[in-house]
C-alpha cells in the first residue's frame, strides 16, 4: 500500500486547530470552508465530520474532487491534500469505521451528520513566499517571531 500521508503530515494535522475543505458546485464555483473535527484515519484517508456543512456535502455529491489544507499560521507552512471525497452517512455499513476517530473530538457538543472521507491522491507543501524569495534569511523561527509580532501574541512556556 502506497503511503500518501506520512508521519510529518499526520503530526501537522494533529497540531492544526482547523483544516480548510475546498469543494466545487455544479457550475465549478469553488467553496472553501473551515472544519474543526477531522483526523488522519490511515496512510491514505482523512476523515472530516460533517457538523454543519450542507454545502460541502452537496458539492461532494456533485464533484468528488476536493482539496484539504492544513497550515501552521505561525511557521507559515503546511500542506494540502488533493483527493476524492465521499459523504458517508450513518446508514452506510462503513460509517462506524470512519466516524470512530471523530467521536472523541466531537463529544456531545457537535452532532456528526455524516463523515466526509477523503482518499488522498497527492500531497503538496504550502509555504509562505518568504521561504522561497529570501531563503538565506527566512527560517521557521524567524517566521514564527514575525507572526507573533503581527498577531500580537506571546509565547508562554515555549507554546504559542
Amino acid at each position: 500500500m502506497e503511503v500518501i500521508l506520512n508521519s510529518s503530515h499526520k503530526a501537522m494535522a494533529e497540531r492544526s486547530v482547523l483544516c480548510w475543505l475546498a469543494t466545487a458546485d455544479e457550475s465549478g464555483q469553488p467553496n472553501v470552508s473551515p472544519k474543526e473535527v477531522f483526523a488522519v484515519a490511515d496512510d491514505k484517508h482523512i476523515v472530516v465530520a460533517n457538523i454543519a456543512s450542507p454545502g460541502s456535502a452537496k458539492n461532494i455529491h456533485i464533484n468528488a474532487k476536493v482539496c484539504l489544507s492544513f497550515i501552521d499560521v505561525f511557521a507559515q507552512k503546511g500542506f494540502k491534500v488533493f483527493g476524492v471525497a465521499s459523504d458517508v452517512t450513518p446508514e452506510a455499513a462503513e460509517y462506524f469505521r470512519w466516524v470512530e476517530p471523530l467521536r472523541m473530538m466531537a463529544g456531545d457538543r457537535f452532532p456528526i451528520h455524516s463523515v466526509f472521507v477523503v482518499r488522498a491522491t497527492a500531497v503538496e507543501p504550502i509555504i509562505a513566499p518568504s521561504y522561497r524569495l529570501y531563503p538565506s534569511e527566512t527560517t521557521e523561527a524567524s517566521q514564527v517571531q514575525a507572526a507573533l509580532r503581527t498577531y500580537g501574541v506571546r509565547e508562554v512556556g515555549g507554546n504559542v
Side-chain angles (χ1 to χ4, degrees):
M1 178 183 202
E2 179 187 8
V3 173
I4 301 284
L5 301 165
N6 63 34
S7 59
S8 64
H9 299 127
K10 292 174 188 175
M12 164 85 49
E14 287 173 4
R15 287 192 317 270
S16 297
V17 176
L18 294 173
C19 71
W20 299 88
L21 176 65
T23 61
D25 67 15
E26 63 274 354
S27 68
Q29 180 64 46
N31 181 63
V32 176
S33 61
K35 307 299 179 203
E36 64 180 304
V37 178
F38 55 88
V40 176
D42 58 35
D43 293 343
K44 286 191 176 184
H45 296 92
I46 295 175
V47 289
V48 180
N50 174 3
I51 295 168
S53 302
S56 295
K58 180 181 175 189
N59 288 351
I60 286 169
H61 286 275
I62 292 167
N63 179 355
K65 290 182 180 179
V66 300
C67 182
L68 276 169
S69 296
F70 299 84
I71 299 174
D72 178 329
V73 295
F74 294 101
Q76 300 175 41
K77 285 183 174 181
F79 68 96
K80 57 185 166 183
V81 177
F82 296 99
V84 179
S86 57
D87 183 19
V88 180
T89 62
E91 299 78 33
E94 70 272 18
Y95 176 78
F96 291 102
R97 170 189 176 205
W98 297 118
V99 77
E100 195 55 37
L102 305 172
R103 286 181 192 255
M104 290 284 286
M105 287 181 263
D108 295 332
R109 184 175 168 103
F110 299 114
I112 299 176
H113 301 293
S114 65
V115 177
F116 303 140
V117 179
V118 178
R119 181 178 48 81
T121 56
V123 178
E124 291 183 4
I126 297 172
I127 62 169
S130 297
Y131 286 102
R132 289 190 176 112
L133 296 174
Y134 307 103
S136 63
E137 61 193 69
T138 304
T139 65
E140 196 167 299
S142 71
Q143 291 295 90
V144 168
Q145 290 306 310
L148 291 173
R149 283 191 304 277
T150 298
Y151 299 134
V153 177
R154 303 185 292 126
E155 287 186 83
V156 177
N159 296 315
V160 180

